[in-house]
Amino acid sequence: MMLENTKDKIAKLIYDENKKNPLTDEQIAKELSILRETVTGIRKNLNIPNSRTRKKEIIKATVKKIKTKKPDITINTIINLLAKDGITTSRTYIAALMKHERNEKKEIPISETVNSTNNNDNIFSKLIGHNGSLLKNIKQGQAAILYPPFGLPTLIVGESGTGKTLFAEYMYKYAIKQKVLREEAPFILLNCADYSDNPQLLVSILYGYKKGTFTGADKDTEGLIERANNGMLFLDEIHRLPPKGQEMLFSILDKGKFRRMGEVNIEREAHIYFIGATTENIESSLLLTFRRRIPMIIELPALEERSLHEKTDLIHSFFQEEANRINSKILVKAKIMQAFVFKRYAGNIGQLKSEIQVTCANAYVDKINNKREEIYIGFNEVLYQKFFYDINIPQNNIRFKDILFLPSNDKPQNSLVIAKSQYSLPEDIYETIENKYYELKKSHIPTDKTEKIIWNFLLSYFNKIRLDSKSRQSSLDELKYLLDENIIELIKEFINFIKNSHPDWQINEKVLIYLAIHLGEAVKRIQFKQKIINPNLLYIKENFPEEFQLGNKLAQVLAQKKSLEIPEDEIGFIAIYIHELLKVQDKKDRIAIITISHGKVASELINVVKQMLNVDFPIAIDMPLDVNPIKIFEQVIELAKSLPAEKGILFFVDMGSLVNIGEIIHTRIGIETRTIDRVDLVSVLEAVRKADASEESLNDIYYDIINSKHTYSLVTVKESNKPPAFITMCLTGQGVALKIKTILADCYAGVKVISIGIMDDNVKLKITNLNQQYNILALVGTINPKIEGMNFIPYDKNFIKDKKVFLNYLLKELPQKLVHSLVRREFVLLDMECSSKKEIIETMGKILFNDELVKFEYIDSVLAREDMNTTFFRNKVAIPHGLPTFVNKSAIIFARLKQPVKWDKQGNMAKLICLPAVKSEDINAVTQLFKLIKQKDKVSELIAAKNQTIFINTIKNTY
């Protein structure tokens, strides 16, 4: 009710105001004793323009009325007539208004008639936010510059650190770009705050002075206004300019004339583009008569008003500046990026830049002390900086990445190495769980299923710990240089307590290392006030009660030693480590088996399998008939990510679109899969039994099940460079064989289909000869010639809906043209300017790392490989490469150099660089790559390619 009353009062005040001199928001706020921000918000809600716009409409109407009577009237006469009518304004403003009188629909201060909004010609496009939060400001700045004859006097307002000086500099650059100012035009900047305690000195510096005007004025001296003639004058903190100084600007702004201090009879001219800037409220800090002479007001947004994307871009740009400035590589971890993005900055962009410089400086000291050759900014850097203590990181779905910054200059680069040890911390379990949790929430997966997926994800995480701990030969004592000694002693006491109280328990002491590292991270996180989320807390408490009780005891001692409170969610994580610590090791590394069906068939079937075989690893997913299959697919994808399925996943499905689930999973996350449709109890029982009791591979189990379901056998397709083909067969080769040929030709346009009769002379020899010419995928027909090593599929009336699926699998086994899929447009760098091999490798590696395709160590492995032997190939091509171990996802990146570089000691000059970062299973891509670069004419086409599209098409057309 109170808000409604306030609205009414504001509306009434504006309605009753003097229309010739409208009330400002500040005046209304004082009248009603409320905040100015409240007035602004309510006024906007009421769709009432601000005071400047309201006044402008009155002035426009009045000037139009005057000019109707006297079309040839001068600007000075108009101003005098307006003054008699009680309207005060500036000569510049009226000049601008008259210039645009033919286009009254456009607002004078924010003209959009500028001809340079095209980013290709617009210097402002280099500003972060040019197409976002600064879009309106840039249009204003362009209008102010282009307005004849000397632009519109402009005032840039905004909080401290929002970039007012930088924006003024870009207006100056824009004026030169548009040839409004000549190349050598001066840009004169004065910060009025520097002379705020000496107004007379400030005015003398600005306007100059006559000899003898004051003590020390021993000669005539020009001021900044004269130096800015035919250029731009920028007065920062202009509210510090005393009233006399503001008044002296009137003549410059109105007529382009001024006098030096002490001069009476001499009037000088100066044609300047004028910009002022202030952090203060202009209505209270500047003379009204001065404000009226500034028609263009540009209000820059505070950093908090800018999008997260723009904040991230700003942070990236400042880290890049530091890398350039100190000529050093900088690796920034994801947690640091997140901390900088979500921190609040009272000092806006200026404070952000300053804190990034401080962080880099501290990390630079660490680089020197530890003799590292790059700056490494990780989570510890955040803990050391007090300015990070007040961060409140919200729960959100935004994912941050580690980012590598390289100096962008031609100076020799240092080696990109991080001093890694065998005790490097494992992946942060908190961040892993949180990312997975929010990822599932974003996919709208129900809470109960989210918890189940995360639980499987946790099991997978600890399974990796268990496997890794088998090869770790370190002890807790060897961690004393990396971890808090108090934590190490605490864990030693804890393990002694367990041994004494439960002497019969087996303890996997290698897991202690991971527990110690985890507790160290937990303490940092709690001290940093980062929230700890454990979605499986209730499940842990119910299923691991003894481990949870032990975890609680350990947490109490830790809390006492560190004077902090350990949340229950964290105790849940400690309990899982303790469970792993005491767990009898299961050495089986099975394939995963997932059954999916419509209705509730899957759950019932898997329950029977579990009871009959006494196993717990097969998974059932029921698909309600009214649910979109896409939702089920997304759920299965998340589940697959969480499973310890290094050996692959075998899917059983019942019908419809589910038959594609295995292929979708393989494409999305890279896990090997097989899918068997028409699920039945016997097949699932057999698959689970084989997976649980043997070391058979995914393909072994898959083909065993297929052979048991059908009366013919299949073997996998051998890798071959020969063109693929099918052979269709019947008694004569003219009847059913031709029918099958037509069917296969329609289904597989790219595969040769040949028909043969079983009664043909030497049929087996004929097939053997064809196998020399083609890669025979399968024989399809009514009679099996029983040729060893050949797939035979009997043809019947259900061929299309049944057996065709197996031909699809055979085709899937064919070597793929990986090069096509691994080269992306953004991975083709044309006319790259680098002066050394190391700079080339690091630049290309940075792109792969920042796209999360390779680990940080991959770049080291490429450089190490270069030290062993040359990777120069021929035809001006070099093929540097690193270890597949450090590749997350296969990719191939090309760089065509603007100028060739010396690649090795033999003096070979490389022009085209190809860096294949491929996983072991994608090694075929390298073979295909060699086929391309062996051809001199193809290499010449790549080197001559005018754009990325032509470059990529050249690669595709090679095969």
Side-chain angles (χ1 to χ4, degrees):
M1 194 67 183
M2 184 179 296
L3 182 60
E4 291 300 321
N5 290 338
T6 304
K7 278 186 178 180
D8 293 341
K9 291 178 181 178
I10 291 173
K12 188 175 187 306
L13 279 173
I14 295 176
Y15 181 79
D16 294 336
E17 71 186 357
N18 178 357
K19 305 302 180 187
K20 298 173 183 178
N21 289 290
L23 295 172
T24 65
D25 290 354
E26 185 74 26
Q27 290 170 328
I28 295 173
K30 288 181 179 179
E31 178 71 22
L32 299 178
S33 299
I34 58 178
L35 294 174
R36 182 183 62 81
E37 291 77 10
T38 302
V39 175
T40 303
I42 292 175
R43 176 179 55 71
K44 290 181 178 179
N45 186 257
L46 293 171
N47 291 320
I48 298 174
N50 60 33
S51 58
R52 289 191 299 275
T53 304
R54 301 199 302 274
K55 183 173 182 178
K56 180 198 68 179
E57 296 303 323
I58 294 294
I59 294 174
K60 283 174 64 177
T62 307
V63 170
K64 186 176 181 180
K65 188 176 180 180
I66 293 171
K67 283 185 65 64
T68 301
K69 295 179 179 179
K70 298 180 180 180
D72 298 326
I73 194 170
T74 65
I75 292 177
N76 287 337
T77 304
I78 290 176
I79 292 174
N80 291 333
L81 291 174
L82 289 174
K84 288 180 180 179
D85 201 21
I87 302 174
T88 54
T89 186
S90 70
R91 185 182 189 281
T92 307
Y93 186 85
I94 297 302
L97 185 64
M98 292 177 68
K99 179 71 177 180
H100 288 268
E101 66 179 356
R102 296 179 182 177
N103 192 12
E104 292 185 352
K105 291 183 179 180
K106 291 194 173 183
E107 183 179 343
I108 298 303
I110 314 176
S111 172
E112 296 185 13
T113 61
V114 291
N115 59 5
S116 54
T117 54
N118 186 332
N119 283 344
N120 293 329
D121 300 320
N122 185 4
I123 195 73
F124 284 104
S125 63
K126 296 179 181 179
L127 282 176
I128 292 172
H130 68 92
N131 56 354
S133 63
L134 298 182
L135 182 60
K136 176 184 175 182
N137 302 136
I138 289 171
K139 288 181 178 179
Q140 290 177 298
Q142 292 171 328
I145 291 299
L146 295 178
Y147 195 84
F150 296 106
L152 296 177
T154 299
L155 190 62
I156 304 175
V157 299
E159 297 176 7
S160 176
T162 50
K164 295 184 292 297
T165 301
L166 180 66
F167 196 88
E169 290 173 355
Y170 268 82
M171 288 179 67
Y172 169 73
K173 293 176 183 178
Y174 179 76
I176 291 177
K177 180 83 173 178
Q178 295 298 315
K179 302 188 183 305
V180 171
L181 292 177
R182 65 187 190 282
E183 285 285 342
E184 65 276 13
F187 178 80
I188 304 300
L189 183 153
L190 174 67
N191 190 327
C192 300
D194 295 341
Y195 304 94
S196 58
D197 57 346
N198 193 335
Q200 185 183 39
L201 177 59
L202 174 57
V203 172
S204 67
I205 289 174
L206 187 58
Y207 297 99
Y209 50 85
K210 182 181 178 181
K211 179 180 178 180
T213 301
F214 51 83
T215 303
D218 52 1
K219 63 178 180 178
D220 291 346
T221 303
E222 70 174 8
L224 296 183
I225 287 178
E226 286 176 83
R227 289 172 53 192
N229 188 30
N230 294 316
M232 183 173 287
L233 174 66
F234 174 54
L235 300 184
D236 198 8
E237 302 289 352
I238 196 171
H239 60 277
R240 298 296 186 93
L241 192 65
K244 180 181 178 182
Q246 294 181 36
E247 289 173 354
M248 292 175 71
L249 279 175
F250 294 173
S251 183
I252 284 286
L253 299 180
D254 292 346
K255 304 175 184 177
K257 298 182 182 297
F258 73 100
R259 287 188 175 91
R260 291 178 181 175
M261 286 183 65
E263 290 183 335
V264 178
N265 298 321
I266 300 175
E267 192 173 51
R268 303 175 184 271
E269 288 191 2
H271 302 295
I272 62 171
Y273 282 78
F274 176 80
I275 302 176
T278 180
T279 57
E280 300 297 310
N281 185 324
I282 61 174
E283 293 174 353
S284 58
S285 62
L286 298 176
L287 294 174
L288 176 62
T289 48
F290 180 68
R291 298 201 309 270
R292 287 172 178 165
R293 288 169 166 81
I294 311 288
M296 181 65 78
I297 309 294
I298 300 177
E299 186 171 0
L300 297 183
L303 184 57
E304 291 306 313
E305 296 172 6
R306 304 182 73 165
S307 68
L308 290 179
H309 177 75
E310 289 183 11
K311 287 182 72 174
T312 303
D313 285 348
L314 284 166
I315 292 165
H316 283 196
S317 70
F318 293 147
F319 272 117
Q320 185 62 59
E321 282 183 21
E322 291 306 298
N324 297 345
R325 186 171 64 85
I326 59 180
N327 192 32
S328 177
K329 289 167 283 295
I330 301 175
L331 175 63
V332 184
K333 300 297 288 181
K335 284 183 180 293
I336 296 291
M337 298 304 303
Q338 184 185 43
F340 273 114
V341 167
F342 287 111
K343 186 180 184 303
R344 293 187 174 274
Y345 300 90
N348 291 289
I349 298 173
Q351 181 186 349
L352 168 62
K353 182 174 184 178
S354 173
E355 291 184 1
I356 286 176
Q357 289 179 329
V358 170
T359 301
C360 289
N362 288 334
Y364 185 81
V365 173
D366 181 64
K367 165 195 167 182
I368 300 299
N369 291 340
N370 291 284
K371 298 182 179 180
R372 283 205 298 260
E373 295 189 7
E374 81 297 316
I375 292 177
Y376 179 85
I377 301 178
F379 187 58
N380 286 340
E381 297 303 321
V382 176
L383 295 178
Y384 296 152
Q385 304 298 342
K386 290 184 179 180
F387 50 70
F388 282 118
Y389 286 1
D390 61 346
I391 296 177
N392 181 24
I393 298 179
Q395 296 185 6
N396 58 73
N397 294 321
I398 299 173
R399 181 172 175 273
F400 293 86
K401 302 186 299 185
D402 298 347
I403 300 291
L404 176 64
F405 300 94
L406 298 177
S408 58
N409 53 47
D410 296 327
K411 295 179 181 179
Q413 305 296 310
N414 295 326
S415 177
L416 190 59
V417 178
I418 277 194
K420 303 283 281 184
S421 78
Q422 60 174 317
Y423 311 117
S424 296
L425 300 184
E427 188 177 9
D428 183 358
I429 188 173
Y430 303 114
E431 188 172 358
T432 303
I433 297 300
E434 287 171 10
N435 288 342
K436 178 60 61 177
Y437 179 78
Y438 292 122
E439 188 178 335
L440 295 173
K441 285 292 185 186
K442 187 177 181 180
S443 300
H444 305 293
I445 294 176
T447 302
D448 57 337
K449 292 183 178 178
T450 294
E451 292 175 358
K452 185 174 182 180
I453 290 172
I454 290 180
W455 180 246
N456 283 315
F457 193 78
L458 268 176
L459 294 180
S460 173
Y461 176 87
F462 281 99
N463 182 58
K464 291 177 182 177
I465 285 182
R466 185 167 65 254
L467 293 174
D468 186 47
S469 67
K470 294 175 185 176
S471 60
R472 283 178 95 102
Q473 300 300 320
S474 53
S475 67
L476 284 172
D477 287 331
E478 292 173 309
L479 289 174
K480 63 184 179 180
Y481 297 111
L482 294 171
L483 293 176
D484 188 333
E485 289 190 35
N486 289 329
I487 291 178
I488 295 175
E489 292 304 316
L490 172 63
I491 292 181
K492 285 182 178 179
E493 294 170 7
F494 175 70
I495 208 67
N496 287 333
F497 164 76
I498 292 179
K499 288 180 177 178
N500 293 331
S501 57
H502 301 86
D504 55 325
W505 285 5
Q506 293 183 359
I507 298 174
N508 181 3
E509 296 199 13
K510 298 299 180 184
V511 177
L512 290 175
I513 294 170
Y514 290 90
L515 177 58
I517 292 171
H518 174 82
L519 291 182
E521 289 297 301
V523 168
K524 292 176 185 176
R525 179 170 277 251
I526 294 168
Q527 289 174 337
F528 192 50
K529 298 179 182 179
Q530 285 188 281
K531 190 172 183 179
I532 294 175
I533 299 174
N534 191 336
N536 303 111
L537 181 60
L538 293 177
Y539 184 88
I540 294 168
K541 292 171 73 173
E542 291 174 3
N543 291 274
F544 305 141
E546 194 162 15
E547 290 92 335
F548 190 82
Q549 187 177 4
L550 287 169
N552 193 29
K553 289 182 179 179
L554 181 60
Q556 287 179 6
V557 180
L558 179 63
Q560 185 177 4
K561 285 183 177 292
K562 294 295 180 183
S563 300
L564 45 77
E565 184 176 345
I566 310 293
E568 196 173 39
D569 288 74
E570 170 53 34
I571 297 173
F573 282 123
I574 295 173
I576 307 178
Y577 278 98
I578 294 174
H579 175 71
E580 197 65 36
L581 190 72
L582 307 175
K583 187 176 178 181
V584 177
Q585 303 304 309
D586 181 2
K587 297 182 180 179
K588 291 180 181 176
D589 183 18
R590 309 183 188 91
I591 66 168
I593 295 179
I594 301 177
T595 301
I596 313 173
S597 69
H598 294 77
K600 296 186 177 181
V601 175
S603 291
E604 294 173 358
L605 189 150
I606 291 300
N607 284 337
V608 173
V609 171
K610 287 181 176 179
Q611 290 178 25
M612 292 180 68
L613 299 181
N614 192 28
V615 294
D616 61 0
F617 68 91
I619 296 170
I621 296 178
D622 295 323
M623 180 175 173
L625 295 174
D626 59 347
V627 171
N628 188 326
I630 294 176
K631 290 187 177 181
I632 297 298
F633 285 177
E634 292 299 327
Q635 180 181 335
V636 175
I637 289 167
E638 295 303 328
L639 176 61
K641 289 179 183 177
S642 70
L643 293 175
E646 287 81 3
K647 295 186 71 174
I649 303 174
L650 178 60
F651 288 99
F652 285 92
V653 300
D654 58 356
M655 61 180 179
S657 58
L658 293 176
V659 297
N660 298 316
I661 187 65
E663 186 174 348
I664 292 172
I665 295 293
H666 177 68
T667 302
R668 289 282 289 272
I669 60 179
I671 294 176
E672 292 301 317
T673 65
R674 288 290 190 184
T675 306
I676 298 175
D677 66 342
R678 297 187 183 181
V679 60
D680 62 80
L681 177 60
V682 174
S683 297
V684 178
L685 273 170
E686 184 65 9
V688 172
R689 183 189 68 77
K690 287 179 178 292
D692 187 51
S694 71
E695 295 296 325
E696 290 187 48
S697 69
L698 174 63
N699 280 337
D700 291 337
I701 296 177
Y702 166 73
Y703 285 118
D704 284 346
I705 299 299
I706 292 299
N707 287 335
S708 68
K709 288 170 70 72
H710 300 279
T711 56
Y712 56 92
S713 61
L714 291 171
V715 294
T716 57
V717 177
K718 295 180 180 179
E719 189 172 311
S720 173
N721 290 324
K722 294 179 291 186
F726 290 122
I727 293 178
T728 65
M729 304 192 70
C730 66
L731 195 63
T732 65
Q734 300 300 314
V736 177
L738 291 179
K739 181 180 179 180
I740 302 171
K741 180 178 180 179
T742 302
I743 294 172
L744 292 178
D746 289 341
C747 295
Y748 307 107
V751 181
K752 180 77 172 178
V753 184
I754 305 163
S755 60
I756 295 179
I758 195 69
M759 294 179 64
D760 290 357
D761 294 334
N762 299 318
V763 64
K764 290 189 177 181
L765 179 61
K766 188 178 288 188
I767 293 174
T768 301
N769 289 336
L770 285 171
N771 198 33
Q772 298 297 317
Q773 184 179 357
Y774 298 98
N775 180 22
I776 306 299
L777 304 178
L779 310 175
V780 185
T782 57
I783 300 174
N784 187 353
K786 296 184 179 179
I787 299 177
E788 185 177 353
M790 290 278 184
N791 296 316
F792 176 75
I793 301 176
Y795 176 79
D796 58 31
K797 63 180 181 180
N798 293 318
F799 177 81
I800 292 298
K801 66 178 183 180
D802 183 5
K803 302 184 180 69
K804 176 179 174 290
V805 68
F806 301 112
L807 296 184
N808 293 341
Y809 282 120
L810 293 177
L811 288 167
K812 185 179 176 184
E813 291 291 318
L814 289 176
Q816 301 295 309
K817 295 177 180 177
L818 282 171
V819 173
H820 290 198
S821 60
L822 300 185
V823 179
R824 305 202 308 242
R825 184 179 179 83
E826 60 268 31
F827 292 164
V828 177
L829 313 175
L830 299 183
D831 298 326
M832 188 168 81
E833 295 188 58
C834 288
S835 59
S836 69
K837 175 170 69 174
K838 184 176 289 186
E839 184 182 358
I840 294 166
I841 291 172
E842 290 175 347
T843 301
M844 297 171 79
K846 168 193 168 183
I847 293 172
L848 295 173
F849 174 77
N850 288 349
D851 209 17
E852 299 184 293
L853 296 170
V854 299
K855 296 180 174 64
F856 183 65
E857 296 86 348
Y858 180 77
I859 306 173
D860 288 343
S861 72
V862 177
L863 294 172
R865 172 64 185 79
E866 289 297 318
D867 291 337
M868 294 170 59
N869 202 354
T870 182
T871 55
F872 184 86
F873 184 64
R874 61 188 177 199
N875 301 329
K876 302 180 182 179
V877 179
I879 315 175
H881 50 280
L883 295 177
T885 309
F886 302 126
V887 177
N888 299 324
K889 186 177 179 181
S890 296
I892 299 175
I893 183 169
F894 288 89
R896 185 183 69 195
L897 305 180
K898 193 165 186 178
Q899 296 294 334
V901 299
K902 182 180 177 181
W903 197 258
D904 52 27
K905 294 179 181 178
Q906 290 74 35
N908 290 308
M909 302 297 289
K911 175 74 172 178
L912 181 66
I913 316 301
C914 171
L915 177 58
V918 296
K919 297 173 72 71
S920 299
E921 57 265 32
D922 294 331
I923 200 66
N924 284 334
V926 178
T927 304
Q928 296 169 29
L929 197 58
F930 273 110
K931 182 180 178 181
L932 169 68
I933 59 179
K934 282 179 181 177
Q935 304 176 53
K936 189 173 182 179
D937 58 331
K938 291 293 182 181
V939 172
S940 298
E941 287 182 41
L942 294 176
I943 291 177
K946 293 183 179 179
N947 53 51
Q948 293 161 313
T949 301
I950 295 174
F951 192 100
I952 292 175
N953 286 339
T954 301
I955 295 173
K956 290 183 177 180
N957 294 335
T958 302
Y959 303 100

